[in-house]
Amino acid sequence: MKTTRILLTLGLIAALLTACSGAGSDEAEAISVLDKAIHIQYDVKHRDIPEDHYSMIKERGSLLKPLVTGELLDKLEANMDTAMPARIAAYNKADLEATVTEMKIEAVKDAKDSYDLKYTVVVKVTEDSGKVQPYSVPGEATAVRTAEGWVLSRLWSDYRWMAKLYP
């Protein structure tokens, strides 16, 4: 009887640990897909930008494709979200580098395998002269699990700071 109770307790503990580690793993994957998308979008070296910015913008769209839904990619491209960092880097002859400094994640209520993420990215704009100007960019995203893995179905950043950097 005592052995049975111990085995049941150990089994319950193992089941709880497995369930908890699965949720943590899902959160980590949701955060990871957002982090990758942010770096693709914001990390730009102005010397790498070709004369026709269009090819770099298309390349960034291709890199984002496995990380976002098709609908979101269409929206990002239509709203010029994939173009803005490259254009800022080219116009200012500066490199852009992103660092996620804040992240809050919570499961979406009444939706399986879906997380809302609120974040702040600090984008450092480094000019050729060495002058570095950091800009804090808040944003929100939703990560969902699909048959292919975790992707973003929503990605929004507050681009008001960009108005100062690109006419």
Side-chain angles (χ1 to χ4, degrees):
M1 182 76 153
K2 198 173 196 180
T3 304
T4 305
R5 233 185 288 171
I6 291 172
L7 289 175
L8 285 173
T9 303
L10 288 174
L12 181 60
I13 291 171
L16 285 171
L17 287 174
T18 301
C20 290
S21 68
S25 173
D26 286 348
E27 287 181 3
E29 289 184 48
I31 290 169
S32 176
V33 75
L34 174 62
D35 190 59
K36 288 175 188 172
I38 285 172
H39 285 287
I40 288 169
Q41 236 181 322
Y42 288 109
D43 290 352
V44 181
K45 300 227 180 278
H46 81 278
R47 286 185 175 81
D48 295 342
I49 301 172
E51 286 288 323
D52 71 339
H53 305 158
Y54 184 74
S55 61
M56 177 178 241
I57 294 163
K58 289 308 274 180
E59 177 187 342
R60 288 181 176 275
S62 295
L63 293 171
L64 281 172
K65 192 173 185 173
L67 302 174
V68 299
T69 63
E71 184 178 314
L72 178 58
L73 183 58
D74 291 344
K75 181 180 175 185
L76 292 172
E77 288 176 342
N79 291 341
M80 306 272 295
D81 290 349
T82 54
M84 192 61 73
R87 289 187 172 163
I88 287 171
Y91 180 79
N92 292 283
K93 294 183 177 41
D95 296 339
L96 277 61
E97 182 182 358
T99 305
V100 178
T101 58
E102 294 177 33
M103 176 75 66
K104 293 179 185 172
I105 183 169
E106 82 178 42
V108 175
K109 292 179 180 155
D110 301 325
K112 185 179 179 194
D113 296 330
S114 182
Y115 291 97
D116 281 333
L117 302 107
K118 291 186 180 191
Y119 59 89
T120 301
V121 175
V122 172
V123 178
K124 286 194 281 182
V125 179
T126 305
E127 297 176 8
D128 279 344
S129 66
K131 179 182 172 191
V132 178
Q133 185 71 31
Y135 293 91
S136 184
V137 182
E140 298 178 4
T142 299
V144 296
R145 185 192 331 244
T146 65
E148 293 80 36
W150 285 92
V151 295
L152 300 175
S153 63
R154 179 176 66 97
L155 181 61
W156 171 83
S157 294
D158 185 350
Y159 288 127
R160 286 181 280 180
W161 65 274
M162 291 185 174
K164 303 172 194 171
L165 299 172
Y166 185 71

